[in-house]
Amino acid sequence: MKQTALHEAHVVRKAKMVDFAGWSMPLQYSGVLDEYHAVRTSAGLFDVSHMGRLHVEGTGAVPFLQRVTTNDVQRVEPMGAQYSMICNPDGGVKDDIFIYRLGAEEFLLCVNASNLDKIRRWLFQQQGDEEVRIVDHSEAMAQLALQGPASKPLLQAHVQSSLDELKPRRCLRETIGGVECLVARTGYTGELGYELYVPAKQVRLVWDRLMQAGEEYGLKPAGLGARDLLRLDMGYLLYGNDLTEATTPIEANAKWVVSFDKGAFIGEPVLKQQMQDGPSRRLVAFELLEKAVPRHDMKLLAQDKQIGTVTSGNLSPILQKGIGLGYVEPAYAEAGTAFDVEIRGRRIPAQVVTLPFYKKPKPA
């Protein structure tokens, strides 16, 4: 298995390590629920260096990315970020990605760990006449996610820039303990948070500095287990579960990341036809009406037939109810629609809801 530059730091903290997409990654340290609640109430620090980081630069970078991604890159200002997808010619999702525009003609693409090799090959294959250079920085660059309501005051003590000015999906260049970092107001938890792109050889310095400074804030190292619970609370999509090359952004209720007015892009004809005809299935969010836990691949039933399949599911610690995502026939996709989830031979009633599952209470 591959190891991130922080592998020893995880071992020292007695993390439970697991194989994730070929990487040895921390599943948990103090416990999945403990880490989950730390992020919801104070702060958690994640090592997400297993993700892929591709640098795309050149006078042809914008037209190239316009052609190979679904969203409109031109709308992203320098030092801004955008969620997007890369599709195959059939409209299937090859990966969902984050694009950071570092300059007029310079971009950083954050891709899923399991898809890095596939996406890197795909981008090289799609190069045409555009003047564009693609460099894989995945090994040279590490990635941390500092997430939770206490992340802002914690990080502010270590950077010169005012974090009050850093709006969601914006980024800035900073130094933390003398280490140059790209600080982005992005995350996968639904909480206030930041993602830090750091030279891999120096990431241990940043990790240790934040962990030490974070003690007074209740900061805890957090693993993949808490990360999955946190993202599911928000209904954030997980590649390999909710998205695959057999699903399209339209089916996944992600048409907001598809721009049909920017010009031609890979997969556009199929996606445009789906918008016109309506998809044959749709991803929905649902809550169980009885205490139970939905899991990936469980059947969704209505009357005497299967109408869909669970793609993601778990018991939300903060809501104390079973929640999930799954693809269903269009007739069962509207909020309030009832169906059952087959769990260990029993039919548990469920209801379609609007996302996010967890809505943070507004300050008094």
Side-chain angles (χ1 to χ4, degrees), residues 147-166:
Q147 303 282 300
S151 61
K152 183 177 176 181
L154 197 172
L155 185 60
Q156 184 64 80
H158 300 276
V159 298
Q160 295 295 315
S161 307
S162 170
L163 295 180
D164 288 335
E165 306 300 318
L166 188 61

Side-chain angles (χ1 to χ4, degrees), residues 168-181:
R169 297 193 179 181
R170 299 290 298 171
C171 50
L172 53 82
R173 298 186 188 277
E174 262 291 353
T175 58
I176 299 176
V179 179
E180 292 187 1
C181 307

Side-chain angles (χ1 to χ4, degrees), residues 261-273:
D261 57 7
K262 66 168 181 170
F265 61 91
I266 297 171
E268 177 206 11
V270 176
L271 300 184
K272 191 173 283 187
Q273 194 66 48

Side-chain angles (χ1 to χ4, degrees), residues 217-230:
Y217 296 95
L219 174 71
K220 295 189 176 183
L224 296 176
R227 192 166 182 256
D228 191 55
L229 285 174
L230 291 158

